[in-house]
Amino acid sequence: MSFRTIEWRGDKVVMIDQTKLPTEEVYNEYSDFQGVAEAIRGMIIRGAPAIGVAAAMGVALGARDIIADTHESFFRQLSNVCDVLARTRPTAVNLFWAIERMKRVAEANRDKDINSIRAILKAEAIAVEAEDLQICKAIGANGAALIKDGATVLTHCNAGGLATAGYGTALGVIRAAHESGKKIKVIADETRPWLQGARLTAWELMKDNIPVTLISDNMAGWLMQNGEIDCCVVGADRIAANGDTANKIGTYSVAVLAKEHRIPFYVAAPISTLDLSLDSGAKIPIEERTITEVTQIKGIQIAPEGVKVRNPAFDVTPARYVTAIITEKGVAHGDYLESLSALAKG
Ligand SMILES: CSC[C@H]1O[C@H](OP(=O)(O)O)[C@H](O)[C@@H]1O
């Protein structure tokens, strides 16, 4: 990987600005948790695992700057930092998983002095990032076995190094298959309206010399109908206990088309994307974003001013359309209620 999605550097958190890609590779520095929260909300950093890492680093930054002479005051202010970060985006469960992990670590060290707790939280945030990279490599290894040599793989949105601490989940599977010597090709959906596929996935795969062809979202069905797609691999933002999967808007359409054409449809995600408290995808909160993401491209108006717009950023694919769910602990298929909880406990 020739770029860093996010890292703690000196006394700042540094992130690549994903709103500027692919034309500019710009790195932003953040010295407070409010800046990190705005970066998540504004999709400077995006992608379920990546915003989990960002949230963890935001908590650590917030803890560092709290002015408190009692533990009661410190923990009260720390709770406010966590609340601000938790309100940034509602769908990706990794954000909440990371915040809860930081809260648990702080509570477990409540007996220590405040400065020690600050240092421990910084170390924990850095560990979250390092672990995510290893998790992605394990997902890649588990998923690569499912990708046949010579396959053409369709992916939707960006579930790559830019959506994680590096290497990627869906793109991690693709990278691992490529690195194992398999001659695979990738079809990347542009992924309207935010264009993660066109701007981010194509950029990442070209940097790694992995053959990639960009299509507009409405071309996927035609390619499947013509036998040009061998399998689909996508990421996830939240997976319910029964395997229903929330992912970028348009994923559900790809999954239904794949089922129609008997094409395997794989979801690649870390265990931290599982939300086993939900028995189905019906209750997964779906983020609605600003209308200008639909009516403008790079600030250029492409629809009449005042037109009514919907902009749900995610949809939910029912488990019956998902061939298998690839995690760092193994591959779940069949009865997801059983196989996912077994992986989560494993
Ligand atoms: C590795 S999961 C990435 C996941 O997150 C994306 O959403 P967004 O770009 O809005 O953060 C998309 O759903 C990807 O599949």
Side-chain angles (χ1 to χ4, degrees), residues 62-133:
R64 184 196 62 191
D65 299 341
I66 288 171
I67 297 171
D69 49 18
T70 66
H71 276 61
E72 184 198 2
S73 170
F74 176 81
F75 276 87
R76 184 175 62 251
Q77 293 180 68
L78 186 65
S79 177
N80 176 56
V81 169
C82 293
D83 291 347
V84 168
L85 289 159
R87 284 197 295 269
T88 51
R89 295 186 73 191
T91 304
V93 71
N94 312 62
L95 176 83
F96 308 98
W97 168 85
I99 292 170
E100 287 309 310
R101 171 167 166 172
M102 297 298 280
K103 281 181 175 176
R104 281 198 307 274
V105 168
E107 279 302 330
N109 289 281
R110 200 179 185 113
D111 60 327
K112 295 185 176 60
D113 65 271
I114 291 173
N115 282 336
S116 297
I117 298 171
R118 296 183 215 270
I120 288 165
L121 288 174
K122 175 183 173 182
E124 189 71 16
I126 292 169
V128 168
E129 192 244 350
E131 286 167 22
D132 186 71
L133 186 55

Side-chain angles (χ1 to χ4, degrees), residues 187-253:
I187 302 287
D189 279 353
E190 67 172 352
T191 316
R192 281 271 301 153
W194 211 78
L195 302 176
Q196 289 93 330
R199 298 189 305 105
L200 307 179
T201 293
W203 181 79
E204 277 198 47
L205 294 178
M206 289 177 73
K207 281 177 92 73
D208 284 1
N209 298 313
I210 296 175
V212 56
T213 300
L214 177 64
I215 62 170
S216 59
D217 301 323
N218 52 7
M219 297 175 187
W222 185 81
L223 288 172
M224 290 184 194
Q225 196 177 41
N226 287 286
E228 296 189 40
I229 306 295
D230 297 303
C231 69
C232 303
V233 186
V234 300
D237 292 83
R238 194 181 298 228
I239 302 172
N242 72 338
D244 290 353
T245 296
N247 196 50
K248 184 51 50 198
I249 191 76
T251 303
Y252 171 54
S253 310

